Amino acid sequence: MKKGKKLYEGKAKIIYASPQKNLVIQHFKDDATAFNNQKKAKIDGKGILNNRISEYILSNLNQVGIKNHLIKRINMREQLVKAVNIFPIEFIVRNIAAGSLCKNLGIEEGTTLERPLIEYCLKNDDLGDPMISREHILTFNWLNESTLDLITGECKRINDFLQGLFRGVGIKLVDFKVEFGKTSNDEVILADEISPDTCRLWDEKTEKKLDKDIFRKDLGNLIEGYQEVARRLNILHQQPVLKPISFPKPKEVKIKKK
Ligand code: UDP
């Protein structure tokens, strides 16, 4: 598919125009950033894994009726998606305390929350994506009440589905971030990505981190963590272990002289 001009470049993805009306191409980069862009690196292969994992999750969500922007993956790094106007809000869903929840409120990391907690953050890098309340969203008209209620409901459904999906492969879904947008038909749908860049994923038994915290906290090889997630979801092509082939020693061939 022929890529059109670059429409937008973010920290981890680029959006290009596509030849099809109302569709765009979402390209996954290898760039990793953390702490509001203060820590940066290029991690070979991260974009490929996120493209594949996000495709898998969004197509599964689609099958259970959670509308989203994914049309199809078109190559190792790109997806064809519906064009949306992204709302300026990040929706965070938490099942277990980690990250900013612990830092800001002094809750011990790993505390299981009695029920899923939804938080809203304003997408604004200059302000460091501050947490906002439902009242802020309505007061400043970032979303109207019915859209906010619809999205909050979708966040809970996404959480239920993802918790089950990951629990089935021995992974705890600690928390995640999602973004929503409006299509040209005024439909409100899930957009962006859902991947180990945007979720906290812990091994059920060892609580080993399999997500972007590996990069944030220098815990080791990020790609190995993301590959482990893909392998458990059965979407990583595993190379068969090839046994070395042993050839018999060639026999000496005597050529008769004429
Ligand atoms: N998250 C994200 N993008 C952001 C902020 C958070 O994908 O800009 C994800 C993050 O990976 C985690 C969840 O949202 O899975 C909650 O993040 P938190 O508020 O704890 O922020 P952090 O401490 O990670 O900055």
Side-chain angles (χ1 to χ4, degrees):
M1 181 169 298
K2 217 173 157 258
K3 270 205 300 256
K5 68 170 185 188
K6 193 195 278 189
L7 302 175
Y8 170 81
E9 179 157 4
K11 287 173 227 153
K13 294 186 293 296
I14 307 174
I15 303 290
Y16 294 96
S18 90
Q20 283 167 267
K21 201 177 164 222
N22 298 330
L23 301 183
V24 292
I25 292 170
Q26 176 168 249
H27 176 106
F28 287 76
K29 301 194 282 185
D30 282 340
D31 301 55
T33 62
F35 313 119
N36 202 14
N37 239 349
Q38 286 173 45
K39 182 171 179 174
K40 290 186 202 174
K42 222 179 183 71
I43 303 177
D44 273 354
K46 180 177 82 81
I48 294 173
L49 282 156
N50 281 346
N51 183 22
R52 184 72 188 93
I53 295 170
S54 192
E55 175 214 6
Y56 177 79
I57 292 178
L58 265 62
S59 57
N60 272 273
L61 287 173
N62 194 31
Q63 281 168 26
V64 296
I66 295 170
K67 289 184 188 153
N68 61 68
H69 71 161
L70 181 73
I71 304 289
K72 61 173 182 178
R73 185 166 65 90
I74 47 183
N75 59 45
M76 296 289 269
R77 288 192 180 271
E78 287 162 340
Q79 304 175 343
L80 187 64
V81 299
K82 288 186 186 171
V84 293
N85 273 322
I86 293 272
F87 298 124
I89 293 162
E90 293 185 339
F91 299 84
I92 292 175
V93 184
R94 302 180 183 274
N95 299 305
I96 297 173
S100 65
L101 180 70
C102 302
K103 199 170 152 241
N104 297 337
L105 304 182
I107 313 283
E108 195 185 337
E109 187 184 78
T111 308
T112 301
L113 308 180
E114 261 177 44
R115 57 197 182 106
L117 172 66
I118 300 189
E119 290 175 354
Y120 310 105
C121 292
L122 183 66
K123 269 166 71 85
N124 184 323
D125 281 343
D126 295 339
L127 301 176
D129 293 347
M131 200 203 289
I132 51 175
S133 69
R134 181 183 166 87
E135 294 308 308
H136 286 108
I137 297 176
L138 299 177
T139 300
F140 298 110
N141 230 347
W142 287 318
L143 293 176
N144 65 36
E145 194 160 13
S146 67
T147 306
L148 179 54
D149 289 345
L150 181 140
I151 295 178
T152 306
E154 289 294 81
C155 285
K156 290 180 188 160
R157 292 180 66 207
I158 296 168
N159 186 45
D160 283 346
F161 181 82
L162 289 186
Q163 267 196 310
L165 179 83
F166 284 118
R167 195 178 294 132
V169 295
I171 293 175
K172 286 192 209 175
L173 176 65
V174 174
D175 57 32
F176 63 93
K177 183 261 317 181
V178 273
E179 296 186 22
F180 289 78
K182 205 182 241 187
T183 65
S184 55
N185 305 331
D186 276 356
E187 208 182 7
V188 174
I189 56 171
L190 171 68
D192 193 53
E193 67 176 299
I194 300 183
S195 72
D197 262 11
T198 62
C199 302
R200 283 200 171 88
L201 303 168
W202 294 355
D203 177 80
E204 194 176 57
K205 291 205 185 91
T206 62
E207 302 214 323
K208 187 175 167 193
K209 294 177 169 59
L210 303 170
D211 56 65
K212 204 167 117 180
D213 272 350
I214 301 172
F215 169 70
R216 291 190 189 99
K217 301 182 170 185
D218 294 319
L219 299 176
N221 187 323
L222 178 123
I223 293 297
E224 277 174 20
Y226 286 28
Q227 278 175 339
E228 180 62 24
V229 173
R231 194 175 298 118
R232 292 200 199 180
L233 294 173
N234 214 6
I235 55 176
L236 187 77
H237 292 291
Q238 270 179 314
Q239 297 296 325
V241 183
L242 294 173
K243 279 190 188 154
I245 304 168
S246 56
F247 294 102
K249 220 175 160 191
K251 282 182 192 158
E252 203 178 319
V253 180
K254 281 186 184 153
I255 301 167
K256 280 181 191 164
K257 278 186 188 157
K258 278 185 190 164

